[in-house]
Amino acid sequence: MSLTTRKQEQWPELAFENWKDTLSTLHLWTQIVGKIRLKQTPWLNHSWHVTLYLSARGLTTGSIPYPGGVFQIDFDFIDHLLYIASSAGGTEKITLYPRSVADFYRELFEKLRSLGIDARISAEPNEVDPAIPFEADETHRSYDAARVRNFYQALAKIHNVFITFRAGFTGKCSPVHFFWGSFDLAVTRFSGRPAPPYSGDTKNIPLRVMQEAYSHEVSSCGFWPGNEQFPHPAFYSYCYPSTAEFGKQPVKPNQAFFSAGMGEFILLYEVVQAADNPEDTLMQFLQSTYEAAATTAGWDKTTLECDFSMFEK
């Protein structure tokens, strides 16, 4: 194996402290772009219409409808640009560099207007505190290009494991998608049964939205880069509704643990990064925590699970 190949296969370092200011700024930039997709797109169950998706260079909205056809907004975390393209043939780009959220917000909407796209959003962030309106946020203005690229390269590695995991389920399952509100890459499996009404509290999100998101039983897993309260990039897995027995189930690898405060299983990213086989280590976590959820909730695993490996031969 060549040195170049080994380097490409390595999982990058993602210490929260090394890029927390950039992370905060990038989180808000993705919220602005994500809210454009939310506003322009018909509502899908469980808010699946709001998410971003991994692309070959960063994150993308995919096609967004507007009166002139469709448009798309792409974050390029390799060349550090934001691209806007429309089916009418117009294109615009914005350079990503250390700049305030307010400055990014103003330029993005100027570029949209130049393409004939009249996009309007609620200009207040979700799931963050304090929630400074985008057009007034001169506080968050960091952008470390090398750290952002590392984050994207990690997402690409994780995405590939997640889509393999997703393929083993024939029941209703979400895409592997990126939620800009909580800033995590996630995939969610459903039992097919209704769940009791959700009654939790999520910052800056109406309860009716959360109740629709959790209207049915789920086993959900994802990756999150951390925050000040939990300054560690980590994988998580939870179920809704949950029982006390869920957190007592044996899961893999041995370094995974159940956080009673968060109500979910946690596996630190650094454990996966340092493993001899990171992909296998992550898959063990995804599979064993799903089994913990399905077992304690009595899911019909025989009907819901599948194996399409025969088609790969």
Side-chain angles (χ1 to χ4, degrees):
M1 182 184 297
S2 69
L3 179 61
T4 300
T5 302
R6 286 199 301 271
K7 186 175 181 180
Q8 289 173 341
E9 290 184 352
Q10 290 174 353
W11 287 49
E13 174 270 325
L14 287 182
F16 173 78
E17 289 296 326
N18 291 343
W19 77 302
K20 62 181 182 180
D21 293 336
T22 291
L23 171 56
S24 295
T25 301
L26 184 60
H27 185 182
L28 294 167
W29 289 357
T30 62
Q31 291 215 9
I32 296 168
V33 171
K35 279 174 171 275
I36 293 170
R37 180 169 191 240
L38 180 159
K39 189 68 174 179
Q40 297 286 136
T41 308
W43 194 277
L44 290 179
N45 57 178
H46 319 301
S47 300
W48 290 355
H49 66 299
V50 310
T51 55
L52 304 179
Y53 308 99
L54 200 78
S55 73
R57 300 188 69 86
L59 292 169
T60 178
T61 60
S63 299
I64 303 172
Y66 83 115
V70 296
F71 69 99
Q72 180 169 310
I73 305 176
D74 292 343
F75 282 97
D76 181 336
F77 295 140
I78 295 177
D79 288 337
H80 305 285
L81 296 166
L82 185 81
Y83 289 100
I84 311 168
S86 78
S87 58
T91 61
E92 290 284 359
K93 66 181 179 181
I94 297 172
T95 303
L96 304 181
Y97 62 91
R99 63 192 304 186
S100 71
V101 169
D103 188 43
F104 175 86
Y105 177 84
R106 283 191 294 269
E107 184 173 0
L108 173 54
F109 280 89
E110 287 171 3
K111 299 291 189 184
L112 288 168
R113 285 191 292 272
S114 74
L115 294 173
I117 299 169
D118 181 23
R120 305 178 187 214
I121 66 172
S122 170
E124 184 172 297
N126 294 108
E127 300 185 59
V128 297
D129 187 21
I132 307 169
F134 300 127
E135 69 270 27
D137 189 347
E138 299 288 348
T139 301
H140 299 97
R141 54 189 314 116
S142 299
Y143 190 82
D144 184 327
R147 299 292 180 183
V148 171
R149 185 166 182 170
N150 278 352
F151 174 63
Y152 165 65
Q153 295 297 340
L155 287 182
K157 300 280 191 186
I158 295 162
H159 172 271
N160 289 350
V161 179
F162 280 12
I163 61 171
T164 301
F165 172 68
R166 184 183 186 274
F169 198 74
T170 195
K172 178 179 175 179
C173 191
S174 78
V176 176
H177 48 189
F178 189 87
F179 282 95
W180 43 263
S182 46
F183 207 70
D184 60 336
L185 188 72
V187 60
T188 302
R189 294 176 168 185
F190 293 77
S191 73
R193 300 185 305 225
Y198 182 86
S199 59
D201 181 31
T202 304
K203 294 175 185 175
N204 316 115
I205 294 187
L207 178 60
R208 67 180 184 278
V209 173
M210 296 303 295
Q211 287 182 332
E212 194 282 323
Y214 291 102
S215 60
H216 289 71
E217 293 180 349
V218 301
S219 171
S220 189
C221 57
F223 168 74
W224 175 64
N227 64 10
E228 291 288 357
Q229 291 70 45
F230 189 82
H232 309 280
F235 300 96
Y236 64 80
S237 182
Y238 66 87
C239 63
Y240 180 81
S242 188
T243 67
E245 290 304 308
F246 173 63
K248 298 176 184 178
Q249 300 301 301
V251 299
K252 297 177 182 178
N254 293 334
Q255 298 94 326
F257 61 92
F258 184 76
S259 168
M262 296 182 179
E264 56 193 10
F265 285 101
I266 299 291
L267 177 64
L268 298 181
Y269 172 84
E270 62 190 45
V271 174
V272 173
Q273 180 202 17
D276 291 337
N277 188 331
E279 291 79 6
D280 181 66
T281 301
L282 176 53
M283 185 61 78
Q284 288 181 40
F285 177 74
L286 302 178
Q287 185 61 34
S288 64
T289 54
Y290 154 71
E291 288 174 359
T295 298
T296 55
W299 287 22
D300 183 359
K301 295 176 63 182
T302 301
T303 301
L304 294 171
E305 295 172 9
C306 60
D307 180 4
F308 291 128
S309 61
M310 68 184 77
F311 297 108
E312 299 172 0
K313 296 178 180 178

